[in-house]
Amino acid sequence: MKHIFKPGKDATKPVFLMLHGTGGTEQDLLPLAEMVDPDAAVLSVRGNVLENGMPRFFRRLAAGVFDEEDLIFRTKELNDFLDEAAKEYGFDRLNIVAIGYSNGANIAASLLFHYADALKGAILHHPMVPRRSIDLPDLTGTQVFIAAGKNDPMCTAEESEELDELLTDAGVETAVHWEMNGHSLTRTEVDAAAEWYNAVFGK
């Protein structure tokens, strides 16, 4: 997968897995990593699917309707890539914290839904429920921050609450931050995510 890896200043810190929204690239979210923890290593990945020329992490059938078969395939593809990247760059595979926005947050949530040890934690900006009617793995000890919009037209407040409930039931310790800025990725929610990260993982 096309990506950027930036070694961290402190090898004990989590490695940030940066996952862009629809139409983004591996460059898009690099400033977020800097805002959350400038000492952490960064692995920023570009989605392998194109929708009208715009990179995504998996296909969709319509707005808000995921191609479930492709989602499962792409989630495994990303998880396998993380295994390979950990070996190539010499970082701890069990110390990855994903930071994703929109489509990127959805693939990060899908990693959690499918693989118990894929992520140590995640910062999910405007995620949706990736799949329903499946049993989640035991995610006890996993830490997840959800930034959601009370008036998000793409991801309703009810959907955010459903995702929070599904993750909590699987053992995740969650924190939900609410905004009133639609589906936008705002500075205030990034600041809230950074505050949460520092409290949970320490700076």
Side-chain angles (χ1 to χ4, degrees):
M1 299 183 77
K2 188 169 275 195
H3 66 280
I4 295 168
F5 180 75
K6 295 170 67 176
K9 296 172 190 166
D10 183 344
T12 66
K13 295 285 184 77
V15 175
F16 287 153
L17 170 64
M18 311 304 294
L19 301 164
H20 61 77
T22 299
T25 72
E26 65 278 17
Q27 301 281 349
D28 279 23
L29 298 187
L30 294 178
L32 265 67
E34 195 72 18
M35 290 181 215
V36 176
D37 188 347
D39 293 335
V42 177
L43 178 64
S44 192
V45 183
R46 183 187 297 192
N48 270 347
V49 172
L50 285 179
E51 179 181 278
N52 300 320
M54 298 185 297
R56 280 176 58 85
F57 287 98
F58 57 90
R59 286 198 298 266
R60 58 184 170 182
L61 305 175
V65 183
F66 301 160
D67 180 332
E68 196 163 295
E69 189 178 330
D70 191 61
L71 172 63
I72 294 165
F73 174 80
R74 298 296 174 183
T75 303
K76 182 181 187 305
E77 176 184 61
L78 179 57
N79 194 57
D80 290 347
F81 170 75
L82 295 177
D83 293 344
E84 294 159 13
K87 290 175 190 163
E88 182 179 350
Y89 297 114
F91 62 79
D92 183 354
R93 176 65 182 85
L94 297 177
N95 198 20
I96 297 174
V97 172
I99 302 179
Y101 167 56
S102 193
N103 181 242
N106 294 338
I107 194 80
S110 187
L111 281 171
L112 293 169
F113 271 48
H114 292 97
Y115 300 102
D117 297 321
L119 300 173
K120 184 176 187 177
I123 294 172
L124 306 176
H125 294 278
H126 303 273
M128 297 173 70
V129 176
R131 292 186 69 196
R132 290 179 170 86
S133 303
I134 66 165
D135 292 327
L136 273 64
D138 181 2
L139 296 170
T140 302
T142 307
Q143 304 280 344
V144 173
F145 176 91
I146 298 171
K150 289 279 188 186
N151 59 344
D152 188 333
M154 290 186 66
C155 176
T156 64
E158 291 76 17
E159 178 131 9
S160 302
E161 288 163 354
E162 182 186 353
L163 177 62
D164 179 39
E165 188 176 321
L166 289 167
L167 290 173
T168 301
D169 288 348
V172 176
E173 293 180 42
T174 63
V176 182
H177 170 81
W178 292 100
E179 293 267 321
M180 288 294 290
N181 294 290
H183 199 64
S184 303
L185 175 55
T186 67
R187 178 60 191 256
T188 51
E189 67 186 62
V190 174
D191 288 344
E195 190 176 325
W196 168 85
Y197 168 86
N198 291 330
V200 171
F201 294 105
K203 197 160 186 178

